[in-house]
Amino acid sequence: LFSPKWCSSRVCPSTLSSAVVSRIFSSHRRSHGQPPQRVESMAMQLAAERAEEEFRLERPNFSGTWDLVRTEGDLDRFLSDMGQGWLIRNGAKVLKYGVGRVVVECQQDGDDLKFSKVLCDPRNLSKSQVHITVGQGTVSFLDDIGRLSSTSHW
């Protein structure tokens, strides 16, 4: 649902993992009689380790109220892929897939996120409540289109 745009301006985990792997291999070479690493590569490793630590410490903060203002892509196919029948898909289309109606409120404390969502169906006045602890496995919850499961990690 959320696009981690903050990752594009920082070193992403896939880049960091190769730096960590190269560090492991270079320390393995040193311990087997190879000459020590050059200063430049050691500086690069330190920079990669600092970036990795910063990435681990800095988490996005989703706290606030999020309004659905537009949708993109083939939502009919998306709903079909999720097992929704013709009636639900056409009802969602009539309701403009919740644009202007769906509101998600998020409270975040570190890895603990609590979501409250105004559902798309105007006949349903209740809100969907979801509590997620990032990295703690799969959470199931009820939404407009039925029971969903979510697995989260940073």
Side-chain angles (χ1 to χ4, degrees):
L1 242 63
F2 301 109
S3 173
K5 293 180 181 174
W6 50 269
C7 190
S8 62
S9 64
R10 302 207 181 278
V11 178
C12 288
S14 59
T15 308
L16 292 176
S17 60
S18 63
V20 170
V21 169
S22 74
R23 189 183 110 228
I24 291 168
F25 282 118
S26 25
S27 30
H28 182 316
R29 277 195 309 267
R30 268 184 297 188
S31 66
H32 288 85
Q34 297 286 334
Q37 287 183 288
R38 295 186 349 200
V39 174
E40 296 88 17
S41 59
M42 290 176 73
M44 288 175 58
Q45 282 182 352
L46 288 173
E49 288 172 2
R50 278 194 294 262
E52 182 178 16
E53 182 65 22
E54 180 181 319
F55 176 77
R56 267 190 257 132
L57 294 176
E58 187 175 319
R59 304 282 195 233
N61 186 347
F62 294 113
S63 295
T65 301
W66 300 77
D67 299 322
L68 181 60
V69 295
R70 75 174 183 275
T71 60
E72 297 175 0
D74 186 351
L75 292 178
D76 185 66
R77 183 169 181 183
F78 170 72
L79 291 173
S80 178
D81 288 348
M82 292 189 67
Q84 299 304 312
W86 179 87
L87 186 61
I88 296 293
R89 293 193 324 265
N90 282 322
K93 185 176 182 178
V94 167
L95 294 171
K96 296 187 267 178
Y97 302 104
V99 172
R101 166 117 177 102
V102 173
V103 177
V104 178
E105 297 169 358
C106 178
Q107 297 174 358
Q108 180 177 353
D109 182 19
D111 290 345
D112 193 53
L113 294 101
K114 294 178 183 174
F115 295 97
S116 174
K117 177 184 173 191
V118 173
L119 301 175
C120 180
D121 186 347
R123 298 171 300 162
N124 190 348
L125 299 177
S126 65
K127 292 182 177 183
S128 172
Q129 306 287 330
V130 181
H131 179 215
I132 295 172
T133 303
V134 177
Q136 295 297 313
T138 302
V139 175
S140 295
F141 56 95
L142 195 58
D143 198 72
D144 284 318
I145 59 175
R147 184 144 303 277
L148 302 175
S149 295
S150 172
T151 304
S152 59
H153 57 85
W154 293 119

